[in-house]
Amino acid sequence: MSDPGAPESTPAAESAESSSTESFKDIFSEYEQSHSRKSEAGNQRREGTVIAVTADSAVLDIGFKTEGVLPLTAFPADKPPQPGDKVQVTVKGRDPEGYYELTRGKVERPTDWASLEKAFVEKSTIIGTVTGVVKAG
């Protein structure tokens, strides 16, 4: 006989307990997949085509409904952009006029970390351009 003070354990309750951890895992996995952050525009490397050059910027077709604007300072002084040129860019955001603000900084950053680590270990010189100073860093 069972103890009247002890809670009864039914087979349905036991199976619900054993499957609850597994079903939670499945539910959580499904949730993560459905709520994963899509890569935002700023994280994408895009190839833009120069469609116009103004006094201070280049207007690029980046495949969105609105064009993007890239300052002329992003180009080498000896080689200004010409309409039809292809340029690798990333999207920073939008300006007040609704155009996408573009940058070449993230595209030009090194992606070959193995060679950078090797240069660090060998204490070899790396040629580059200083683009900014970080306080306390």
Side-chain angles (χ1 to χ4, degrees), residues 2-109:
S2 65
D3 183 14
E8 289 188 35
S9 175
T10 62
E14 287 177 9
S15 67
E17 285 178 17
S18 65
S19 67
S20 67
T21 56
E22 187 174 68
S23 66
F24 177 76
K25 178 182 173 186
D26 295 339
I27 291 170
F28 186 66
S29 175
E30 184 177 322
Y31 172 82
E32 283 183 321
Q33 290 174 356
S34 66
H35 288 82
S36 66
R37 291 181 55 108
K38 305 292 184 228
S39 63
E40 296 175 10
N43 296 331
Q44 298 176 6
R45 290 184 178 193
R46 303 196 63 86
E47 181 176 70
T49 305
V50 177
I51 56 175
V53 179
T54 64
D56 61 347
S57 61
V59 180
L60 281 79
D61 176 12
I62 56 171
F64 293 164
K65 289 183 178 180
T66 305
E67 288 81 20
V69 178
L70 182 64
L72 288 179
T73 57
F75 295 95
D78 61 333
K79 189 171 185 262
Q82 301 296 321
D85 289 351
K86 302 285 185 187
V87 181
Q88 291 290 324
V89 294
T90 55
V91 179
K92 281 194 323 189
R94 286 201 155 187
D95 66 6
E97 298 167 357
Y99 291 103
Y100 287 98
E101 293 178 337
L102 305 174
T103 182
R104 294 180 75 184
K106 289 184 180 180
V107 173
E108 293 175 349
R109 287 186 184 154

